[in-house]
Amino acid sequence: MQPCPSHAIPAQQTVATILLAGGKGTRLHDLTAAESKPAVPFAGRNRIVDFAMANVVRSGLDKLLVATQFAPATLNEHLPVRWGRHFDGGALMLRDGRDRYLGTADAVRHNWRQVQDWGADHVLVLAADHIYDMDYAALIAAHRASGAAVTVAVDVVPVATASGFGVMHTDAGGKIVSFLEKPANPPAIPGEPDRAMVSMGVYVFDRGWLEGALFGEDVESLDFGHEVIPAAVAQGLAMAYRLPDGPAGRPYWRDVGTLDALRQSHLDFLRDQPARLPSLSPVADWYLGRGSVMMPGALVPASARLTCTIVAPGAKVPQGLVTGEDPDEDGRWFRREGRTVLVTQAMLDRRETMRSPIIPAKRAHHARDVA
């Protein structure tokens, strides 16, 4: 896939892009027990991180540092092979932050020397664990035109679900006047009482302002959502950029932090392909029907009847298995959250062991003596 940005980035201005890819993703449970959230498989042999990477390439950005932390081995192998050809030598860097990064902003602080070496005028900070389609060049152009110190990309979600995000409130011109991180009672958009504006975890900073925020007197700023962005809002220097419509004719962004959200994003991708990933695996490779998907290395026989189920990598489903129909039976053997059932090989092994008839040793000897 060749970059095809819709907004040219001026050659005389340099953007350093930092992709934060160290998240553990604990709400995905067994899928991230030994794997980082950005490395979780998605739609065949793609990975969640590939959405952000595809956006970077299509936006014409050519200087990228990936900050890894939890379980980085898969990303260290996957990213250079899948994406390295789109970057000149040395322009795609992976930095392992195990036992060093204390937060999202701290990860950028630890890698600030590379921002300086690139001579960047602006710093684009991205989360690596969301499913979305976005032209970052358009975001950067809007940021430059606004004169703000930071521009935060935002999407609109129902108020009922907004408490899991950073929620923005803006004035008529788009300036952020308040920012609340995961509030219990999220404020609605003025004139839209059922909807709220939430942070996508995508930020553009003027380099000078961000340097001051990271290395000024208040060097305890470790996290963008909790400290850096609220500081910019308090100074009146933060703007919101609303995610435009994507290929499906509407904005699409999803934080796949839960099993339900991950499975639903697969189904959305099947219907709309919200992000145009290159070399997408054929649908038959991963879609099972009945709202169910399987991940690489899984085997599912035709006799199985799986509903609203994720089959984890490498899981070998037995003949005739039924899931997603009886919540009590699902919960006995597998992990069920919301409507989604997760099936792993370890769960299948436990189910097989506990369902197999076992004759206690003493009873078996007694039976032989009687005979």
Side-chain angles (χ1 to χ4, degrees):
M1 182 184 70
Q2 296 300 316
C4 50
S6 59
H7 295 76
I9 296 175
Q12 71 274 17
Q13 297 197 29
T14 301
V15 178
T17 303
I18 300 181
L19 182 62
L20 302 176
K24 188 171 182 179
T26 54
R27 292 180 298 164
L28 293 180
H29 304 288
D30 308 74
L31 293 178
T32 51
E35 192 70 276
S36 67
K37 183 181 173 185
V40 168
F42 189 94
R45 297 193 177 277
N46 303 291
R47 298 184 182 276
I48 292 175
V49 69
D50 289 330
F51 283 83
M53 293 298 298
N55 291 334
V56 167
V57 170
R58 285 201 309 274
S59 301
L61 298 166
D62 60 358
K63 295 177 176 59
L64 174 64
L65 186 146
V66 182
T68 62
Q69 190 165 20
F70 174 72
T74 298
L75 294 180
N76 289 339
E77 178 181 356
H78 172 77
L79 291 175
V81 172
R82 178 74 179 270
W83 298 100
R85 68 185 184 278
H86 297 290
F87 298 87
D88 293 333
L92 172 59
M93 299 184 173
L94 284 85
R95 298 284 175 81
D96 183 357
R98 281 176 292 182
D99 302 321
R100 291 194 299 141
Y101 303 157
L102 301 179
T104 54
D106 194 46
V108 174
R109 180 188 291 114
H110 272 89
N111 290 290
W112 194 254
R113 175 61 63 84
Q114 188 57 59
V115 174
Q116 295 175 317
D117 290 347
W118 278 332
D121 302 286
H122 296 85
V123 181
L124 174 66
V125 178
L126 307 173
D129 54 3
H130 299 154
I131 304 296
Y132 66 112
D133 181 277
M134 187 175 189
D135 178 7
Y136 299 134
L139 165 65
I140 294 164
H143 171 74
R144 287 175 170 146
S146 73
V150 56
T151 297
V152 181
V154 300
D155 193 21
V156 173
V157 303
V159 167
T161 65
S163 59
F165 305 99
V167 180
M168 309 287 173
H169 181 68
T170 69
D171 64 15
K175 179 189 289 186
I176 301 172
V177 296
S178 70
F179 175 86
L180 301 172
E181 184 69 14
K182 298 183 178 180
N185 298 298
I189 299 172
E192 301 181 56
D194 297 329
R195 304 206 296 170
M197 191 178 296
V198 301
S199 171
M200 296 170 54
V202 173
Y203 316 112
V204 186
F205 294 94
D206 280 354
R207 172 186 160 176
W209 186 90
L210 181 57
E211 187 168 17
L214 296 179
F215 297 97
E217 292 182 4
D218 183 14
V219 295
E220 295 302 315
S221 294
L222 302 176
D223 186 83
F224 285 116
H226 286 98
E227 294 151 334
V228 177
I229 301 303
V233 171
Q235 296 173 29
L237 298 175
M239 295 289 291
Y241 175 86
R242 195 157 168 171
L243 180 66
D245 290 346
R250 61 183 182 277
Y252 187 91
W253 170 80
R254 190 181 290 271
D255 178 1
V256 287
T258 66
L259 295 175
D260 262 344
L262 179 63
R263 185 181 60 84
Q264 186 59 54
S265 290
H266 275 83
L267 304 183
D268 293 342
F269 191 85
L270 175 67
R271 183 182 65 245
D272 295 332
Q273 295 196 14
R276 301 175 291 271
L277 282 173
S279 305
L280 177 66
S281 301
V283 168
D285 281 357
W286 55 270
Y287 182 59
L288 301 172
R290 303 175 68 92
S292 296
V293 298
M294 66 177 179
M295 294 183 168
L299 293 177
V300 180
S303 62
R305 191 169 73 244
L306 310 183
T307 303
C308 297
T309 297
I310 298 173
V311 183
K316 308 300 187 288
V317 172
Q319 296 286 338
L321 180 69
V322 176
T323 63
E325 298 180 11
D326 183 339
D328 292 335
E329 183 69 9
D330 291 336
R332 184 179 181 189
W333 308 114
F334 309 116
R335 182 180 295 278
R336 178 165 178 151
E337 291 193 347
R339 297 187 60 197
T340 300
V341 181
L342 175 64
V343 175
T344 70
Q345 188 59 51
M347 296 172 189
L348 291 169
D349 291 342
R350 173 179 170 273
R351 176 178 180 270
E352 177 64 21
T353 298
M354 295 186 68
R355 285 164 57 96
S356 297
I358 300 175
I359 301 176
K362 290 184 178 179
R363 289 182 58 191
H365 286 304
H366 177 71
R368 286 196 295 269
D369 293 341
V370 171

